[in-house]
Amino acid sequence: ALAGDDKVYDDILKQAGVIRAPGLNDMLEYARGVPLLPTPQGENVVIITGAGGSGVLLSDAVVNEGLSLMDIPPDLDEAFRRFIPPFGAAGNPIDITGGEPPSTYEATIRLGLEDPRIHSLILGYWHTIVTPPMVFAEVTARVVEEARAKGIDKPVVASLAGDVEVERACEYLYDRRIVAYPYTTEKPVAVLGAKYRWARSAGLL
């Protein structure tokens, strides 16, 4: 506050392509996660979640980070509905509900990766017996790796809630270039937002 108008510094940093972090911990997380994420090819962000509450919190985080929730076109909405139960919710967030087996996560994540209109994925996971944390992590990593082998490399971040097993699952995902955090919906979206700010400053979006 003593050094001058913060907005002036903020504008200068943006023009220089600097990703500004609101705090020290955020800076360290950006330094860790941003280089792992591929450059997004567009602004369309889609949330796939196993819990409606998670979807709401992730949506709020998306708005706070200046990201754009994709308006799901009818054909894509229909495609997602083929994999989720009738009491789930398509649209965006896509709520597959908490009782779904690993195959539902696999199918919906694969669809999100393979549709070229979707540019980034945010995954919300809540611990269930049907799909335990490490099963979710292994399925997610495998589907993402299969997409990369086909030349599809989109930013994928994940928020995992549950008991301490989600910590190991997040480490497993992070080691495979999927930015994942336990017990928070804000952090993974913040890292994705930082990647988008960098891409915009670099003229890549």
Side-chain angles (χ1 to χ4, degrees):
L2 294 174
D5 187 342
D6 186 68
K7 188 178 185 311
V8 174
Y9 292 114
D10 199 41
D11 290 342
I12 292 169
L13 291 170
K14 282 181 182 176
Q15 290 176 33
V18 173
I19 303 169
R20 191 176 189 189
L24 178 59
N25 183 259
D26 303 277
M27 183 190 73
L28 294 172
E29 297 299 348
Y30 293 177
R32 180 186 179 209
V34 169
L36 298 182
L37 295 174
T39 302
Q41 300 302 303
E43 299 282 356
N44 288 336
V45 176
V46 166
I47 297 169
I48 298 173
T49 180
S54 172
V56 172
L57 293 172
L58 289 167
S59 298
D60 288 345
V62 163
V63 172
N64 291 339
E65 289 295 327
L67 299 173
S68 300
L69 280 174
M70 178 184 181
D71 290 326
I72 306 293
D75 66 305
L76 186 55
D77 181 79
E78 183 180 343
F80 275 114
R81 286 183 186 277
R82 293 192 197 110
F83 302 116
I84 63 178
F87 50 87
N92 194 9
I94 296 153
D95 181 7
I96 68 172
T97 76
E100 287 303 288
S103 58
T104 305
Y105 281 100
E106 179 174 352
T108 51
I109 294 169
R110 179 175 289 116
L111 178 56
L113 290 170
E114 292 186 349
D115 193 294
R117 294 168 291 185
I118 297 173
H119 303 125
S120 298
L121 284 181
I122 299 172
L123 308 178
Y125 168 84
W126 284 59
H127 193 152
T128 67
I129 296 173
V130 181
T131 305
M134 280 306 299
V135 173
F136 166 79
E138 289 164 0
V139 166
T140 299
R142 176 169 54 78
V143 174
V144 170
E145 284 297 334
E146 288 171 357
R148 288 171 183 162
K150 297 177 184 177
I152 302 168
D153 196 10
K154 299 178 181 179
V156 179
V157 303
S159 162
L160 282 71
D163 67 15
V164 293
E165 284 183 56
V166 299
E167 296 177 19
R168 179 170 162 245
C170 286
E171 290 174 7
Y172 182 91
L173 289 167
Y174 227 120
D175 287 344
R176 287 152 183 83
R177 291 201 300 121
I178 299 165
V179 172
Y181 289 94
Y183 321 126
T184 172
T185 50
E186 293 83 10
K187 277 189 177 181
V189 182
V191 174
L192 182 63
K195 186 71 180 192
Y196 265 90
R197 290 195 296 278
W198 170 82
R200 292 180 192 126
S201 295
L204 300 173
L205 275 176

